[in-house]
Amino acid sequence: VTQEPRLHCARCDLDHPLPELAWRCARCSGVLDLAGFDPAWPDPSAWAARPATLWRYAEALPVPAGRAARISLGEGMTPLVPAAGHPGVALKVDYLAPTGSFKDRGAVVLVAAAAELGACRMVADSSGNAGAAIAAYAARAGIGCEVFLPAGTSPGKVAQLRAYRAEVREVAGTRQDAADAAALAAEAPGVYYASHVYQPAFLHGTKTYAFELWEQLGGRLPETLLLPVGNGTLVLGAYLGARELAARGLVDRLPRIVAVQAAGCAPLAAAFAAGRDEPEPVTPEPTVAEGIAIARPARGAQILAAVRDTGGAVVTVSDGQVLEARAELGAGGLYVEPTAAACWAAVRSGAVPPVPSPESPAPSGAPSEARGRSHGDVPVHTVLPLCGSGLKSGGY
Ligand SMILES: [Zn+2]
């Protein structure tokens, strides 16, 4: 039975038809996923002949490619470079996206979906990077954009929003208070809530992270994807992308997802350690990793389920470890904001658990290593993203 694409509530099973301005379940306020979207893909060899943007995967994205291409800023296909001193570890340099963070992957698809709905105004909330990405693509699309931020967000991020002519609303209190204010503003008729957390279109953009790795590693994924996690937009996107590759027989198993939280705000790490299915209640402490300081992640249960499905883990790093990691990256020519150093901190501090059982060697008769498969002598086994540019935060 072929089912129409629709929005589906994972908590209570209620379906919502598309197109739809709703951003959470009308019955239980749960998060919605895109269901019944199972497009035909071209042979992946076709991707290589296309321009090096995420629109090379147009068939896999839930928006009409023609209109979406007109709001593209050239996002996607960021470099993959070897990590100095750690053979087999590679860095995906996602801060080279048009607005300086990986969030452009989700934002371009989200804004394209909003444009398709005919939205002329959208509201967003963000600790900074998602707001900047949504504001930039809204500007490109000619859609008015209002962004709610916690007061005290990095000045570089606020300046960027103002450059894109977004209306900036600084909200006293926490990141959650900013989200609540945005949700309230989104109640106004005809306003699209451009939430990178609730709107599933965002995750269909971030899934291209996995597709690009598959191409860059010569038609495979690494054993371990090390990913920062706050609201989980990259964890859930990478998981979705890996599953789509697996469903088409392009990988034979999912990479292990090891998600990294800041020790001062780690509701998912606490839940993972306790074997629970929902994020643990926490009282957040200030952390330099502002981009992942999310006390109540709305998709927390999905994140925990995804990590467990891959045989992964959720680990924590301290602020001291994050700052040391950022300093080391900078000394090696990579200028990132503190949040973007969290995964590198996990590598340096030994927080990444070893792969449980030895990997079986490649079956005999397997094709010889494809171009790009390895960096140096050791095949890439672990990839981590450098998510956000240091230019946004300064502070060295
Ligand atoms: Zn529901």
Side-chain angles (χ1 to χ4, degrees):
V1 177
T2 305
Q3 290 189 297
E4 290 289 304
R6 62 202 186 278
L7 295 173
H8 177 257
C9 176
R11 186 193 286 167
C12 80
D13 251 3
L14 184 67
D15 279 339
H16 301 63
L18 288 172
E20 176 62 84
L21 272 175
W23 52 273
R24 60 183 170 186
C25 177
R27 182 160 67 197
C28 78
S29 298
V31 292
L32 300 173
D33 294 313
L34 182 61
F37 176 67
D38 186 22
W41 286 15
D43 185 291
S45 62
W47 291 343
R50 298 178 178 178
T53 78
L54 66 74
W55 296 100
R56 67 209 268 117
Y57 312 116
E59 291 89 346
L61 302 174
V63 287
R67 178 178 303 195
R70 290 198 286 279
I71 66 168
S72 173
L73 293 165
E75 60 287 332
M77 202 45 88
T78 54
L80 185 67
V81 302
H86 291 259
V89 178
L91 312 169
K92 180 93 165 129
V93 191
D94 256 24
Y95 70 75
L96 290 178
T99 77
S101 90
F102 82 95
K103 293 283 195 340
D104 290 356
R105 298 181 183 279
V108 69
V109 177
L110 176 65
V111 173
E116 192 60 22
L117 280 170
C120 58
R121 182 166 183 77
M122 54 174 63
V123 299
D125 60 277
S126 168
S127 58
N129 285 332
I134 289 164
Y137 289 96
R140 180 80 162 171
I143 299 174
C145 185
E146 186 176 4
V147 181
F148 292 78
L149 296 173
T153 297
S154 299
K157 293 179 176 177
V158 177
Q160 189 178 14
L161 287 170
R162 295 196 192 285
Y164 299 139
R165 298 285 194 272
E167 296 166 48
V168 177
R169 307 272 182 254
E170 294 197 58
V171 179
T174 64
R175 173 74 183 74
Q176 186 63 47
D177 293 321
D180 292 345
L184 192 63
E187 298 294 326
V191 174
Y192 183 84
Y193 185 24
S195 169
H196 60 291
V197 182
Y198 279 94
Q199 297 286 359
F202 199 93
L203 304 179
H204 283 264
T206 56
K207 75 184 179 186
T208 59
Y209 181 83
F211 298 166
E212 290 178 16
L213 285 181
W214 186 88
E215 284 200 84
Q216 290 174 312
L217 295 176
R220 68 179 188 97
L221 291 175
E223 283 75 24
T224 301
L225 290 178
L226 195 55
L227 298 164
V229 66
N231 275 312
T233 51
L234 191 49
V235 165
L236 291 171
Y239 176 67
L240 178 63
R243 282 176 53 106
E244 291 188 2
L245 291 167
R248 286 160 177 81
L250 299 174
V251 294
D252 54 15
R253 61 191 162 78
L254 300 177
R256 178 180 71 139
I257 292 177
V258 176
V260 182
Q261 296 219 278
C265 185
L268 297 166
F272 184 84
R276 302 221 168 86
D277 294 335
E278 296 279 348
E280 289 284 287
V282 295
T283 304
E285 294 164 17
T287 170
V288 295
E290 63 181 9
I292 50 174
I294 308 296
R296 286 191 285 143
R299 292 188 183 270
Q302 291 184 325
I303 296 164
L304 289 164
V307 166
R308 289 192 172 111
D309 185 41
T310 67
V314 188
V315 302
T316 62
V317 290
S318 70
D319 273 14
Q321 289 169 330
V322 169
L323 292 175
E324 284 175 20
R326 185 174 80 140
E328 184 173 76
L329 288 168
L334 296 156
Y335 189 46
V336 301
E337 63 175 322
T339 304
C343 289
W344 185 241
V347 170
R348 295 176 77 246
S349 67
V352 183
V355 175
S357 58
E359 295 298 321
S360 51
S364 57
S368 58
E369 278 195 357
R371 181 176 151 273
R373 171 167 173 174
S374 65
H375 282 105
D377 298 321
V378 180
V380 172
H381 54 73
T382 300
V383 175
L384 59 109
L386 301 180
C387 290
S389 170
L391 295 172
K392 299 199 188 207
S393 57
Y396 267 89

